[in-house]
Amino acid sequence: DTGVSQDPRHKITKRGQNVTFRCDPISEHNRLYWYRQTLGQGPEFLTYFQNEAQLEKSRLLSDRFSAERPKGSFSTLEIQRTEQGDSAMYLCASSPAPTGTYGYTFGSGTRLTVV
Amino acid sequence: SQQGEEDPQALSIQEGENATMNCSYKTSINNLQWYRQNSGRGLVHLILIRSNEREKHSGRLRVTLDTSKKSSSLLITASRAADTASYFCATDGGGGNKLTFGTGTQLKVEL
């Protein structure tokens, strides 16, 4: 297992377009998280899955954002009608258990630039 | 929203020196974790300390936790150029569902 994979690494899109990012977690990990990070800031929580169930969503996740994790394996994060404020690094992480036991394993992120 | 703040925001030291970073947080926690991030990359988990622990060691890392002051510190001893990165503290509020990250300390270790 090579860790958490995210695709693409970079995405440049025009304002108003839709984008979709993919995350492949470590196969044994049943928990998957999406975070967003802007320059000079720490990661901000977006949403969390346990297996295929989306158990928590941040208020940051507006109606234009949707995340799925079909069959509890890979996950996708879609942003519709992108805005310049969506420009950020989108990070995916996975863990095998609640956060109090193990740390997260992060992917390298997808950097989104909306022009 | 950010749970904690790291101090200092930026730190520049010479190779071989020790680096100390501090983290303050606002609400009660179940545990606190430290992560490292190299420029433009994902975060790497360094160490986890539970709320009933006061100090923990891992290699050249030493973490302390003072729940009465809602603060933690990360000490990196005998720093190396490869330690140059941003360091973030993250808190688990007890729900076990997510971590809340601080604003980070940028560490630069010069040869």
Side-chain angles (χ1 to χ4, degrees), chain B residues 60-98:
Chain B
R60 294 184 296 113
L61 306 180
R62 173 179 165 249
V63 170
T64 61
L65 179 64
D66 186 336
T67 53
S68 67
K69 295 181 179 178
K70 291 187 170 56
S71 68
S72 174
S73 68
L74 172 67
L75 169 68
I76 304 174
T77 60
S79 63
R80 306 166 182 168
D83 295 328
T84 295
S86 293
Y87 291 81
F88 294 90
C89 68
T91 54
D92 168 12
N97 293 338
K98 68 184 181 195

Side-chain angles (χ1 to χ4, degrees), chain B residues 12-32:
Chain B
S12 183
I13 59 174
Q14 298 293 311
E15 199 172 47
E17 294 180 337
N18 296 341
T20 300
M21 289 158 265
N22 303 296
C23 166
S24 60
Y25 56 91
K26 300 172 186 173
T27 61
S28 61
I29 62 170
N30 188 41
N31 68 76
L32 185 144

Side-chain angles (χ1 to χ4, degrees), chain A residues 47-84:
Chain A
T47 190
Y48 144 69
F49 290 85
Q50 183 168 329
N51 299 313
E52 67 275 12
Q54 187 174 20
L55 297 185
E56 189 170 343
K57 289 168 59 172
S58 163
R59 283 171 291 182
L60 293 174
L61 217 64
S62 74
D63 291 345
R64 299 183 296 106
F65 288 70
S66 63
E68 293 182 343
R69 192 184 182 196
K71 302 178 183 178
S73 55
F74 71 92
S75 176
T76 59
L77 177 68
E78 180 183 17
I79 309 174
Q80 296 182 328
R81 305 181 302 282
T82 53
E83 302 172 356
Q84 286 190 320

Side-chain angles (χ1 to χ4, degrees), chain A residues 93-111:
Chain A
S94 68
S95 78
T99 57
T101 308
Y102 299 97
Y104 290 178
T105 301
F106 276 88
S108 296
T110 294
R111 182 168 296 283

Side-chain angles (χ1 to χ4, degrees), chain A residues 31 33 35 37 56 99-100 104, chain B residues 33 35 37 92 96-97 99:
Chain A
R31 293 177 173 235
Y33 309 83
Y35 279 76
Q37 185 179 26
E56 189 170 343
T99 57
Y104 290 178
Chain B
Q33 303 178 29
Y35 286 79
Q37 185 178 36
D92 168 12
N97 293 338
L99 293 176

